[in-house]
Amino acid sequence: MYPLEDSYGLLTRSGVPPAWAPPLLAGACLLDLLLGMATLALRPPWRRWLWPAQALLILFYTVWIAVRLPEFLWHPYGPLTKNLPILAALWLLYQLEEK
């Protein structure tokens, strides 16, 4: 697990007020967990809304970090560039989903 204080520090550096960091981090973790559980639990046609929702969340995180913490665009481990193949996979899942 990523150290909690470092997560709060990244949120603060990205423009989140320090008092908001703990509830915002907890909320983001909960949202990620719920989306992951929905991926496993939902069946067609209910899953069709899930792929765009996940893509929107990834796009939001990516744009926020790219603007507020641009050093992550050039990070050697690619914490933002890894989102491109994930978005492509979500697009494929959306296209293959039963209507």
Side-chain angles (χ1 to χ4, degrees):
M1 300 296 294
Y2 198 77
L4 198 56
E5 291 304 319
D6 290 346
S7 296
Y8 295 154
L10 284 172
L11 284 169
T12 301
R13 283 184 38 223
S14 74
V16 172
W20 291 14
L24 191 61
L25 180 61
C29 291
L30 181 61
L31 180 58
D32 286 345
L33 179 63
L34 290 174
L35 288 171
M37 291 170 53
T39 298
L40 296 173
L42 292 178
R43 297 290 171 238
W46 302 104
R47 219 172 28 197
R48 191 153 171 85
W49 66 268
L50 185 59
W51 314 130
Q54 289 179 341
L56 286 173
L57 183 62
I58 290 169
L59 286 170
F60 172 77
Y61 285 161
T62 301
V63 170
W64 183 271
I65 293 168
V67 169
R68 301 295 187 132
L69 302 168
E71 65 270 17
F72 283 99
L73 288 168
W74 318 116
H75 194 281
Y77 296 123
L80 293 180
T81 54
K82 65 140 173 74
N83 292 341
L84 294 174
I86 293 171
L87 288 168
L90 287 170
W91 178 82
L92 181 63
L93 285 167
Y94 182 77
Q95 294 299 317
L96 296 174
E97 192 67 52
E98 297 174 18
K99 294 181 182 174

XYZ file of all heavy atoms in Angstrom:
807
model
N 0.846 -1.185 0.000
C 0.000 0.000 0.000
C 0.885 1.240 0.000
O 1.940 1.268 0.604
C -0.900 0.016 1.224
C -1.844 -1.167 1.347
S -3.073 -1.295 0.037
C -4.037 0.137 0.321
N 0.383 2.257 -0.674
C 1.098 3.526 -0.729
C 0.979 4.212 0.634
O -0.103 4.219 1.236
C 0.500 4.394 -1.834
C 1.397 5.512 -2.263
C 2.481 5.261 -3.086
C 1.176 6.804 -1.846
C 3.320 6.283 -3.496
C 2.006 7.830 -2.251
C 3.065 7.554 -3.071
O 3.896 8.574 -3.467
N 2.049 4.769 1.158
C 1.983 5.418 2.480
C 0.933 6.529 2.514
O 0.866 7.373 1.612
C 3.388 5.983 2.674
C 4.258 5.181 1.758
C 3.384 4.802 0.600
N 0.128 6.514 3.531
C -0.990 7.441 3.674
C -0.536 8.899 3.658
O -1.125 9.723 2.957
C -1.736 7.123 4.974
C -3.128 7.658 5.141
C -4.032 7.227 3.999
C -3.703 7.194 6.463
N 0.504 9.208 4.397
C 0.976 10.599 4.456
C 1.463 11.078 3.093
O 1.281 12.246 2.740
C 2.071 10.763 5.515
C 1.566 10.610 6.940
C 0.429 11.571 7.287
O 0.496 12.756 6.887
O -0.520 11.143 7.952
N 2.084 10.195 2.318
C 2.514 10.569 0.969
C 1.312 10.840 0.069
O 1.345 11.742 -0.768
C 3.388 9.475 0.358
C 4.752 9.377 1.031
O 5.138 10.307 1.774
O 5.435 8.364 0.811
N 0.254 10.063 0.246
C -0.975 10.296 -0.532
C -1.569 11.654 -0.193
O -1.973 12.402 -1.083
C -2.005 9.194 -0.238
O -1.545 7.942 -0.669
N -1.614 11.971 1.087
C -2.120 13.289 1.493
C -1.234 14.394 0.920
O -1.738 15.433 0.487
C -2.169 13.420 3.018
C -3.148 12.501 3.704
C -2.943 12.108 5.017
C -4.287 12.035 3.065
C -3.831 11.278 5.666
C -5.179 11.203 3.705
C -4.948 10.825 5.010
O -5.835 10.003 5.645
N 0.078 14.171 0.922
C 0.999 15.159 0.373
C 0.763 15.395 -1.115
O 0.781 16.539 -1.579
N 0.535 14.317 -1.870
C 0.256 14.467 -3.299
C -1.052 15.219 -3.522
O -1.149 16.061 -4.420
C 0.195 13.091 -3.972
C 1.526 12.412 -4.217
C 1.316 10.986 -4.710
C 2.355 13.201 -5.214
N -2.058 14.916 -2.717
C -3.323 15.636 -2.854
C -3.141 17.121 -2.558
O -3.655 17.976 -3.288
C -4.381 15.035 -1.923
C -4.979 13.711 -2.375
C -5.811 13.089 -1.260
C -5.822 13.903 -3.616
N -2.396 17.429 -1.509
C -2.153 18.826 -1.156
C -1.368 19.529 -2.264
O -1.714 20.643 -2.662
C -1.393 18.912 0.182
O -2.179 18.276 1.190
C -1.149 20.352 0.580
N -0.336 18.864 -2.805
C 0.443 19.453 -3.904
C -0.406 19.669 -5.143
O -0.107 20.545 -5.954
C 1.629 18.558 -4.245
C 2.761 18.669 -3.273
C 3.990 17.852 -3.662
N 4.277 17.848 -5.076
C 4.630 16.754 -5.756
N 4.724 15.575 -5.168
N 4.901 16.832 -7.045
N -1.464 18.877 -5.298
C -2.307 19.021 -6.492
C -3.396 20.068 -6.303
O -4.221 20.254 -7.195
C -2.924 17.678 -6.873
O -3.954 17.331 -5.976
N -3.403 20.741 -5.158
C -4.348 21.830 -4.958
C -5.493 21.524 -4.019
O -6.376 22.363 -3.821
N -5.514 20.339 -3.439
C -6.567 19.983 -2.483
C -6.191 20.564 -1.122
O -5.062 20.361 -0.656
C -6.719 18.446 -2.395
C -7.660 18.047 -1.284
C -7.166 17.880 -3.727
N -7.113 21.280 -0.470
C -6.803 21.787 0.870
C -6.480 20.626 1.822
O -7.118 19.568 1.740
C -8.090 22.491 1.303
C -8.799 22.811 0.023
C -8.431 21.721 -0.931
N -5.487 20.802 2.698
C -5.077 19.705 3.587
C -6.223 19.096 4.402
O -6.240 17.885 4.622
C -4.038 20.357 4.510
C -3.488 21.494 3.707
C -4.640 21.996 2.867
N -7.171 19.902 4.805
C -8.289 19.376 5.591
C -9.176 18.453 4.761
O -9.867 17.589 5.312
C -9.118 20.523 6.163
N -9.180 18.627 3.457
C -10.022 17.800 2.585
C -9.333 16.510 2.168
O -9.982 15.607 1.628
C -10.392 18.572 1.333
C -11.311 19.719 1.530
C -11.658 20.333 2.701
C -11.994 20.419 0.500
N -12.500 21.375 2.455
C -12.727 21.446 1.104
C -12.033 20.289 -0.874
C -13.513 22.317 0.384
C -12.813 21.160 -1.600
C -13.551 22.168 -0.971
N -8.018 16.420 2.345
C -7.265 15.271 1.845
C -7.761 13.930 2.407
O -8.003 13.009 1.629
C -5.774 15.460 2.096
N -7.928 13.785 3.736
C -8.381 12.471 4.237
C -9.754 12.044 3.703
O -9.884 10.925 3.189
C -8.381 12.642 5.755
C -7.369 13.710 6.006
C -7.516 14.660 4.840
N -10.793 12.907 3.764
C -12.072 12.431 3.229
C -12.063 12.246 1.711
O -12.721 11.342 1.188
C -13.083 13.495 3.654
C -12.300 14.706 3.990
C -10.936 14.223 4.403
N -11.289 13.062 1.004
C -11.224 12.920 -0.447
C -10.512 11.621 -0.834
O -10.971 10.901 -1.740
C -10.510 14.122 -1.063
C -10.604 14.244 -2.564
C -12.049 14.399 -3.016
C -9.789 15.420 -3.041
N -9.431 11.296 -0.148
C -8.729 10.047 -0.427
C -9.625 8.852 -0.099
O -9.711 7.904 -0.885
C -7.425 9.974 0.374
C -6.595 8.712 0.159
C -6.159 8.592 -1.298
C -5.397 8.702 1.096
N -10.296 8.894 1.040
C -11.196 7.801 1.411
C -12.328 7.659 0.396
O -12.685 6.542 -0.006
C -11.757 8.036 2.813
N -12.879 8.781 -0.045
C -13.956 8.743 -1.033
C -13.483 8.193 -2.369
O -14.187 7.399 -3.008
N -12.287 8.589 -2.796
C -11.739 8.085 -4.061
C -11.488 6.586 -3.978
O -11.784 5.842 -4.921
C -10.451 8.836 -4.412
N -10.965 6.127 -2.849
C -10.734 4.689 -2.659
C -12.053 3.925 -2.668
O -12.153 2.855 -3.279
C -9.984 4.431 -1.360
S -8.274 4.989 -1.380
N -13.056 4.472 -2.004
C -14.366 3.820 -1.965
C -14.982 3.764 -3.360
O -15.539 2.730 -3.760
C -15.293 4.556 -0.996
C -16.695 3.982 -0.840
C -16.637 2.559 -0.303
C -17.523 4.867 0.074
N -14.874 4.844 -4.109
C -15.414 4.861 -5.466
C -14.706 3.828 -6.341
O -15.357 3.086 -7.091
C -15.284 6.261 -6.077
C -15.818 6.431 -7.494
C -17.291 6.053 -7.582
C -15.614 7.860 -7.962
N -13.384 3.743 -6.246
C -12.637 2.740 -7.007
C -13.067 1.330 -6.607
O -13.242 0.460 -7.466
C -11.134 2.904 -6.787
C -10.553 4.112 -7.504
O -11.239 4.661 -8.385
O -9.418 4.494 -7.174
N -13.244 1.102 -5.317
C -13.683 -0.208 -4.835
C -15.074 -0.555 -5.361
O -15.317 -1.679 -5.825
C -13.667 -0.235 -3.307
C -14.116 -1.534 -2.651
C -13.177 -2.682 -3.007
C -14.202 -1.355 -1.148
N -15.987 0.413 -5.312
C -17.351 0.175 -5.803
C -17.368 -0.121 -7.298
O -18.104 -1.011 -7.752
C -18.249 1.361 -5.473
C -18.580 1.551 -4.003
C -19.353 2.846 -3.795
C -19.362 0.369 -3.463
N -16.567 0.604 -8.069
C -16.494 0.332 -9.501
C -15.902 -1.049 -9.772
O -16.355 -1.765 -10.671
C -15.691 1.417 -10.219
C -16.378 2.771 -10.356
C -15.411 3.813 -10.892
C -17.608 2.672 -11.235
N -14.915 -1.436 -8.994
C -14.345 -2.773 -9.135
C -15.343 -3.858 -8.788
O -15.452 -4.870 -9.489
N -16.090 -3.667 -7.723
C -17.110 -4.643 -7.335
C -18.224 -4.705 -8.377
O -18.729 -5.787 -8.690
C -17.662 -4.303 -5.947
C -16.645 -4.533 -4.849
S -17.127 -3.903 -3.224
C -18.705 -4.642 -2.969
N -18.590 -3.559 -8.924
C -19.620 -3.532 -9.962
C -19.145 -4.275 -11.208
O -19.938 -4.941 -11.877
C -19.987 -2.085 -10.304
N -17.852 -4.186 -11.503
C -17.294 -4.910 -12.647
C -17.516 -6.416 -12.483
O -17.833 -7.115 -13.444
C -15.788 -4.612 -12.786
O -15.622 -3.219 -13.024
C -15.157 -5.395 -13.906
N -17.369 -6.896 -11.265
C -17.550 -8.323 -11.007
C -19.018 -8.722 -10.869
O -19.391 -9.831 -11.240
C -16.801 -8.717 -9.724
C -15.289 -8.571 -9.762
C -14.699 -8.838 -8.382
C -14.682 -9.497 -10.797
N -19.840 -7.825 -10.336
C -21.202 -8.201 -9.973
C -22.249 -7.931 -11.052
O -23.210 -8.695 -11.176
C -21.603 -7.471 -8.686
N -22.089 -6.864 -11.801
C -23.131 -6.490 -12.759
C -23.104 -7.384 -13.993
O -22.059 -7.841 -14.419
C -22.979 -5.030 -13.178
C -23.266 -3.992 -12.098
C -23.035 -2.598 -12.654
C -24.676 -4.120 -11.571
N -24.272 -7.596 -14.531
C -24.430 -8.376 -15.761
C -25.122 -7.511 -16.801
O -25.770 -6.531 -16.472
C -25.266 -9.635 -15.489
C -24.620 -10.588 -14.511
C -23.393 -11.236 -15.153
N -22.640 -12.003 -14.174
C -21.375 -11.773 -13.887
N -20.719 -10.826 -14.468
N -20.738 -12.506 -13.020
N -24.987 -7.882 -18.079
C -25.662 -7.110 -19.126
C -27.159 -7.062 -18.865
O -27.696 -8.014 -18.327
C -25.356 -7.885 -20.399
C -24.158 -8.722 -20.076
C -24.234 -8.999 -18.610
N -27.831 -6.003 -19.202
C -27.353 -4.774 -19.839
C -26.879 -3.725 -18.838
O -26.483 -2.640 -19.240
C -28.598 -4.276 -20.569
C -29.718 -4.673 -19.669
C -29.286 -6.018 -19.089
N -26.906 -4.025 -17.551
C -26.554 -3.045 -16.518
C -25.092 -2.645 -16.559
O -24.724 -1.569 -16.099
C -26.911 -3.585 -15.132
C -28.356 -3.909 -15.040
C -28.919 -5.155 -15.067
C -29.431 -2.991 -14.961
N -30.278 -5.060 -15.001
C -30.635 -3.734 -14.929
C -29.511 -1.608 -14.927
C -31.872 -3.144 -14.860
C -30.757 -1.015 -14.843
C -31.920 -1.783 -14.810
N -24.266 -3.517 -17.096
C -22.832 -3.222 -17.128
C -22.478 -2.183 -18.182
O -21.406 -1.594 -18.134
C -22.094 -4.527 -17.425
C -20.847 -4.686 -16.685
C -20.223 -6.033 -16.826
N -20.532 -6.711 -18.068
C -20.357 -8.010 -18.254
N -19.878 -8.755 -17.297
N -20.651 -8.560 -19.407
N -23.348 -1.925 -19.125
C -23.031 -1.009 -20.228
C -22.725 0.415 -19.737
O -21.942 1.125 -20.368
C -24.186 -0.988 -21.235
C -23.823 -0.289 -22.504
C -24.644 -0.830 -23.662
N -24.469 -0.046 -24.854
C -23.491 -0.213 -25.717
N -22.585 -1.139 -25.518
N -23.401 0.533 -26.788
N -23.288 0.845 -18.652
C -23.007 2.183 -18.110
C -21.675 2.219 -17.365
O -21.082 3.276 -17.155
C -24.117 2.637 -17.159
C -24.187 1.801 -15.924
C -24.944 0.683 -15.719
C -23.438 1.985 -14.708
N -24.703 0.159 -14.466
C -23.795 0.939 -13.820
C -22.509 2.920 -14.291
C -23.248 0.809 -12.554
C -21.960 2.789 -13.012
C -22.347 1.743 -12.163
N -21.200 1.033 -16.960
C -20.020 0.958 -16.108
C -18.739 1.362 -16.838
O -17.907 2.084 -16.289
C -19.892 -0.470 -15.576
C -18.803 -0.746 -14.566
C -18.988 0.125 -13.331
C -18.834 -2.219 -14.184
N -18.568 0.918 -18.071
C -17.327 1.209 -18.805
C -17.157 2.703 -19.046
O -16.054 3.227 -18.799
C -17.279 0.417 -20.109
C -17.665 -1.036 -19.951
C -18.567 -1.718 -20.716
C -17.206 -1.974 -18.977
N -18.686 -3.012 -20.264
C -17.856 -3.203 -19.199
C -16.296 -1.907 -17.928
C -17.638 -4.337 -18.429
C -16.084 -3.038 -17.144
C -16.738 -4.234 -17.406
N -18.186 3.438 -19.499
C -18.004 4.893 -19.635
C -17.769 5.593 -18.296
O -16.996 6.554 -18.225
C -19.304 5.375 -20.274
C -19.906 4.169 -20.901
C -19.459 3.001 -20.090
N -18.396 5.099 -17.237
C -18.188 5.704 -15.911
C -16.734 5.550 -15.487
O -16.112 6.499 -14.985
C -19.124 5.075 -14.879
N -16.178 4.353 -15.695
C -14.778 4.141 -15.346
C -13.862 5.003 -16.214
O -12.882 5.565 -15.719
C -14.416 2.666 -15.491
C -15.040 1.797 -14.426
C -14.701 0.332 -14.596
O -14.298 -0.118 -15.659
N -14.890 -0.430 -13.534
N -14.179 5.104 -17.498
C -13.362 5.920 -18.397
C -13.392 7.386 -17.985
O -12.348 8.059 -17.990
C -13.838 5.753 -19.840
N -14.559 7.885 -17.617
C -14.654 9.278 -17.178
C -13.836 9.523 -15.920
O -13.163 10.563 -15.797
C -16.113 9.672 -16.949
C -16.932 9.889 -18.204
C -18.397 10.107 -17.850
C -16.398 11.068 -18.993
N -13.876 8.594 -14.991
C -13.091 8.743 -13.765
C -11.594 8.748 -14.089
O -10.845 9.586 -13.572
C -13.425 7.631 -12.778
C -12.723 7.707 -11.432
C -13.102 8.993 -10.693
C -13.056 6.489 -10.589
N -11.160 7.839 -14.945
C -9.747 7.793 -15.337
C -9.344 9.085 -16.041
O -8.270 9.644 -15.778
C -9.473 6.573 -16.229
C -9.583 5.294 -15.409
C -8.098 6.664 -16.888
C -9.585 4.027 -16.242
N -10.193 9.575 -16.938
C -9.891 10.835 -17.628
C -9.796 11.994 -16.642
O -8.900 12.840 -16.754
C -10.947 11.119 -18.693
C -10.848 10.265 -19.952
C -12.087 10.473 -20.830
C -9.586 10.586 -20.722
N -10.719 12.033 -15.675
C -10.670 13.100 -14.667
C -9.359 13.040 -13.889
O -8.661 14.047 -13.744
C -11.867 13.010 -13.717
C -11.750 13.952 -12.558
C -12.009 15.307 -12.730
C -11.353 13.502 -11.307
C -11.881 16.196 -11.667
C -11.224 14.378 -10.249
C -11.490 15.726 -10.423
N -9.017 11.849 -13.355
C -7.766 11.705 -12.606
C -6.568 12.106 -13.469
O -5.667 12.803 -13.010
C -7.549 10.246 -12.175
C -8.379 9.735 -11.035
C -8.544 8.365 -10.847
C -8.966 10.578 -10.117
C -9.286 7.866 -9.798
C -9.720 10.100 -9.063
C -9.865 8.726 -8.900
O -10.586 8.238 -7.860
N -6.555 11.646 -14.719
C -5.420 11.898 -15.604
C -5.242 13.387 -15.890
O -4.130 13.919 -15.803
C -5.588 11.114 -16.914
O -5.691 9.715 -16.604
C -4.414 11.339 -17.848
N -6.336 14.058 -16.227
C -6.253 15.487 -16.528
C -5.863 16.270 -15.282
O -5.003 17.162 -15.332
C -7.577 15.998 -17.139
C -7.597 17.513 -17.220
C -7.798 15.380 -18.510
N -6.480 15.942 -14.154
C -6.169 16.646 -12.897
C -4.673 16.529 -12.577
O -4.001 17.525 -12.288
C -7.008 16.090 -11.749
C -6.783 16.806 -10.463
C -5.845 16.529 -9.518
C -7.485 17.958 -9.983
N -5.927 17.418 -8.472
C -6.927 18.310 -8.738
C -8.535 18.708 -10.483
C -7.399 19.372 -7.995
C -8.985 19.775 -9.722
C -8.429 20.099 -8.503
N -4.156 15.314 -12.627
C -2.751 15.094 -12.295
C -1.838 15.739 -13.338
O -0.818 16.345 -12.988
C -2.466 13.585 -12.150
C -3.209 13.038 -10.923
C -0.972 13.317 -12.022
C -3.245 11.533 -10.842
N -2.186 15.628 -14.614
C -1.346 16.213 -15.669
C -1.234 17.727 -15.525
O -0.170 18.306 -15.762
C -1.898 15.853 -17.045
N -2.317 18.368 -15.122
C -2.314 19.823 -14.967
C -1.643 20.235 -13.661
O -0.841 21.168 -13.634
C -3.760 20.374 -15.041
C -3.822 21.827 -14.626
C -4.326 20.177 -16.437
N -1.981 19.535 -12.578
C -1.496 19.943 -11.250
C -0.124 19.394 -10.884
O 0.596 19.997 -10.086
C -2.510 19.513 -10.178
C -3.890 20.091 -10.338
C -3.850 21.591 -10.155
N -5.186 22.139 -10.154
C -5.635 22.993 -9.249
N -4.858 23.398 -8.291
N -6.861 23.442 -9.333
N 0.201 18.205 -11.413
C 1.481 17.564 -11.112
C 2.119 17.088 -12.418
O 2.258 15.889 -12.657
C 1.271 16.372 -10.158
C 0.616 16.674 -8.812
C 0.214 15.398 -8.113
C 1.535 17.496 -7.934
N 2.510 18.015 -13.290
C 2.964 17.627 -14.634
C 4.204 16.741 -14.652
O 4.464 16.077 -15.651
C 3.220 18.966 -15.325
C 3.393 19.950 -14.231
C 2.567 19.454 -13.075
N 4.942 16.681 -13.565
C 6.119 15.805 -13.549
C 5.724 14.337 -13.736
O 6.532 13.514 -14.173
C 6.929 15.987 -12.259
C 6.227 15.561 -10.987
C 5.406 16.667 -10.303
O 5.099 17.676 -10.947
O 5.088 16.482 -9.124
N 4.469 14.005 -13.441
C 4.013 12.621 -13.623
C 3.807 12.264 -15.094
O 3.702 11.085 -15.432
C 2.739 12.353 -12.821
C 3.019 12.162 -11.361
C 2.828 13.200 -10.469
C 3.491 10.961 -10.878
C 3.101 13.041 -9.123
C 3.771 10.781 -9.536
C 3.577 11.825 -8.653
N 3.766 13.265 -15.967
C 3.694 12.978 -17.396
C 4.989 12.339 -17.893
O 4.978 11.573 -18.857
C 3.428 14.262 -18.192
C 2.039 14.847 -18.076
C 2.007 16.247 -18.657
C 1.038 13.944 -18.772
N 6.101 12.669 -17.257
C 7.416 12.188 -17.696
C 8.014 11.176 -16.738
O 9.165 10.799 -16.887
C 8.370 13.369 -17.864
C 7.710 14.522 -18.528
C 7.483 15.745 -17.992
C 7.125 14.554 -19.832
N 6.805 16.538 -18.883
C 6.566 15.817 -20.032
C 7.003 13.622 -20.861
C 5.913 16.193 -21.190
C 6.342 13.988 -22.032
C 5.817 15.258 -22.188
N 7.238 10.731 -15.783
C 7.712 9.769 -14.787
C 8.162 8.485 -15.489
O 7.491 8.004 -16.399
C 6.591 9.471 -13.794
C 7.052 8.763 -12.570
N 7.309 7.410 -12.556
C 7.298 9.221 -11.320
C 7.694 7.057 -11.342
N 7.699 8.131 -10.576
N 9.293 7.906 -15.100
C 9.797 6.718 -15.799
C 8.885 5.487 -15.707
O 8.951 4.609 -16.561
C 11.152 6.448 -15.132
C 11.135 7.212 -13.861
C 10.189 8.356 -14.039
N 8.032 5.419 -14.694
C 7.134 4.259 -14.562
C 5.769 4.508 -15.191
O 4.895 3.642 -15.141
C 6.978 3.859 -13.098
C 8.275 3.388 -12.491
C 8.785 4.004 -11.358
C 9.013 2.354 -13.065
C 9.988 3.580 -10.803
C 10.210 1.941 -12.522
C 10.685 2.550 -11.387
O 11.865 2.139 -10.844
N 5.557 5.677 -15.754
C 4.354 5.966 -16.525
C 3.040 5.888 -15.777
O 2.101 5.255 -16.255
N 2.922 6.538 -14.606
C 1.654 6.449 -13.880
C 0.472 7.051 -14.634
O -0.669 6.678 -14.374
C 1.913 7.204 -12.570
C 3.070 8.098 -12.862
C 3.882 7.401 -13.916
N 0.734 7.951 -15.577
C -0.368 8.503 -16.374
C -0.474 7.839 -17.739
O -1.586 7.600 -18.218
C -0.190 10.015 -16.552
C -0.324 10.852 -15.290
C -0.125 12.329 -15.605
C -1.663 10.635 -14.635
N 0.650 7.530 -18.353
C 0.593 6.941 -19.684
C -0.012 5.534 -19.664
O -0.563 5.092 -20.666
C 1.991 6.898 -20.339
O 2.892 6.231 -19.457
C 2.487 8.288 -20.639
N 0.036 4.856 -18.537
C -0.598 3.541 -18.433
C -2.111 3.635 -18.585
O -2.771 2.644 -18.882
C -0.253 2.869 -17.111
C -0.821 3.637 -15.931
C -1.366 2.726 -14.874
C -1.771 3.487 -13.652
N -2.989 4.238 -13.769
N -2.642 4.825 -18.427
C -4.089 4.984 -18.570
C -4.558 4.845 -20.016
O -5.719 4.512 -20.257
C -4.538 6.335 -18.002
C -4.387 6.379 -16.500
O -4.294 5.350 -15.840
N -4.362 7.567 -15.946
N -3.688 5.080 -20.971
C -4.081 4.959 -22.382
C -4.521 3.541 -22.746
O -5.598 3.356 -23.313
C -2.965 5.457 -23.292
C -2.667 6.950 -23.201
C -1.442 7.299 -24.034
C -3.866 7.767 -23.626
N -3.743 2.495 -22.435
C -4.231 1.151 -22.752
C -5.446 0.748 -21.918
O -6.297 -0.015 -22.391
C -3.035 0.237 -22.475
C -2.083 1.031 -21.685
C -2.355 2.477 -21.966
N -5.557 1.275 -20.713
C -6.740 0.973 -19.893
C -7.979 1.592 -20.532
O -9.040 0.956 -20.606
C -6.536 1.462 -18.438
C -5.434 0.647 -17.770
C -7.831 1.364 -17.650
C -5.005 1.165 -16.423
N -7.856 2.814 -21.011
C -8.982 3.450 -21.702
C -9.343 2.686 -22.979
O -10.527 2.526 -23.301
C -8.665 4.911 -22.007
C -8.650 5.843 -20.800
C -8.048 7.189 -21.176
C -10.042 6.008 -20.220
N -8.338 2.201 -23.692
C -8.608 1.402 -24.891
C -9.344 0.116 -24.527
O -10.292 -0.291 -25.226
C -7.304 1.089 -25.618
N -8.948 -0.518 -23.440
C -9.633 -1.740 -23.001
C -11.078 -1.447 -22.596
O -11.989 -2.230 -22.909
C -8.874 -2.381 -21.846
N -11.305 -0.337 -21.939
C -12.674 0.035 -21.564
C -13.519 0.316 -22.797
O -14.700 -0.056 -22.861
C -12.670 1.249 -20.631
C -12.195 0.976 -19.209
C -11.997 2.279 -18.455
C -13.163 0.064 -18.481
N -12.930 0.945 -23.809
C -13.651 1.192 -25.059
C -14.023 -0.137 -25.718
O -15.139 -0.308 -26.194
C -12.794 2.039 -26.000
C -13.451 2.282 -27.315
C -14.382 3.241 -27.597
C -13.253 1.564 -28.522
N -14.765 3.148 -28.905
C -14.092 2.118 -29.501
C -12.439 0.498 -28.874
C -14.132 1.653 -30.802
C -12.483 0.028 -30.164
C -13.328 0.606 -31.111
N -13.092 -1.081 -25.713
C -13.366 -2.398 -26.280
C -14.466 -3.116 -25.499
O -15.381 -3.695 -26.103
C -12.084 -3.236 -26.291
C -12.205 -4.641 -26.888
C -12.592 -4.557 -28.366
C -10.912 -5.407 -26.710
N -14.420 -3.071 -24.196
C -15.471 -3.681 -23.383
C -16.828 -3.061 -23.695
O -17.846 -3.756 -23.795
C -15.150 -3.525 -21.889
C -14.061 -4.439 -21.353
C -13.629 -3.976 -19.962
C -14.529 -5.881 -21.333
N -16.842 -1.748 -23.844
C -18.084 -1.054 -24.161
C -18.619 -1.505 -25.524
O -19.806 -1.756 -25.696
C -17.876 0.459 -24.155
C -19.109 1.245 -24.435
C -20.069 1.425 -23.447
C -19.333 1.822 -25.688
C -21.217 2.151 -23.698
C -20.471 2.547 -25.941
C -21.408 2.705 -24.944
O -22.570 3.424 -25.202
N -17.725 -1.622 -26.507
C -18.133 -2.030 -27.852
C -18.623 -3.474 -27.883
O -19.530 -3.804 -28.652
C -16.972 -1.868 -28.844
C -16.561 -0.438 -29.070
C -17.687 0.404 -29.645
O -18.394 -0.011 -30.539
N -17.859 1.596 -29.093
N -18.051 -4.328 -27.063
C -18.416 -5.739 -27.045
C -19.612 -6.052 -26.152
O -20.145 -7.158 -26.205
C -17.214 -6.597 -26.609
C -16.016 -6.582 -27.549
C -14.848 -7.346 -26.934
C -16.392 -7.146 -28.911
N -19.990 -5.090 -25.330
C -21.088 -5.312 -24.387
C -22.399 -5.508 -25.130
O -22.695 -4.817 -26.103
C -21.201 -4.124 -23.431
C -22.086 -4.366 -22.258
C -21.529 -5.413 -21.319
O -20.361 -5.286 -20.911
O -22.245 -6.363 -20.996
N -23.204 -6.441 -24.641
C -24.528 -6.658 -25.222
C -25.404 -5.447 -24.954
O -25.342 -4.841 -23.895
C -25.178 -7.883 -24.593
C -24.426 -9.163 -24.866
C -25.016 -10.336 -24.100
O -26.176 -10.242 -23.640
O -24.306 -11.332 -23.945
N -26.212 -5.128 -25.927
C -27.086 -3.951 -25.783
C -28.430 -4.348 -25.260
O -28.884 -5.396 -25.273
C -27.219 -3.236 -27.117
C -25.901 -2.664 -27.538
C -26.012 -1.942 -28.833
C -24.611 -1.459 -29.165
N -24.415 -0.867 -30.362
